Amino acid sequence: MRTVSPADTWVYALRLPHDPRAARVARMTVRSVLSGHGRLEVLDVVELLVSEMVSNAYRHTNGPASLRLTALSDGRLRVGVWDTSPYIPAPFDQPPGIRRPPAPADALGGRGLLLIQEYADCWGGVALGEGLLDRGAGKLLWFEVGGKRVRDVAA
């Protein structure tokens, strides 16, 4: 008799207040969750990208944010960050195969674009609540690691 073991999937969610310490709390949570699940191979990348995304949520909105970590059955890890702004920034506004040039050396911002393009396997974003009865539900930005890179597939 053969037994079927369930896929190693799990989900963690964290609600973050509009607080300058939110990025640190998010990094600590990512480190704890991924260490606990033995996902050390993606820990540094996820910690870096989450820090960037949560920092941007704090910097560009006046409301709370949420972090969601999802382990998928094929070994990928999907990370989503929700915030209260409906604006979808680059590179989340384009398919992963389309690469944008990095920010100029003297630019004050724009480094997050390079980080996402370099370290995430794929990414995306969706504005929530747009339409006739827009309730200002914000946006969800996400990325995945631990899978086949989209640019590697295209090559």
Side-chain angles (χ1 to χ4, degrees), residues 43-81:
L43 176 61
D44 291 337
V45 167
V46 173
E47 190 175 27
L48 173 68
L49 298 182
V50 162
S51 185
E52 176 67 25
M53 290 172 65
V54 172
S55 294
N56 284 344
Y58 172 75
R59 187 176 306 123
H60 299 292
T61 72
N62 292 320
S66 291
L67 169 67
R68 184 176 178 104
L69 304 169
T70 306
L72 304 172
S73 62
D74 62 0
R76 291 175 295 139
L77 180 70
R78 181 176 295 146
V79 178
V81 174

Side-chain angles (χ1 to χ4, degrees), residues 8-13 30 33-34 37 39 42 46 50 67-81 140 142-146:
D8 188 22
T9 61
W10 42 261
V11 177
Y12 287 83
V30 163
V33 168
L34 296 181
H37 283 281
R39 296 297 309 266
V42 296
V46 173
V50 162
L67 169 67
R68 184 176 178 104
L69 304 169
T70 306
L72 304 172
S73 62
D74 62 0
R76 291 175 295 139
L77 180 70
R78 181 176 295 146
V79 178
V81 174
L140 175 67
W142 61 271
F143 66 87
E144 290 182 359
V145 296

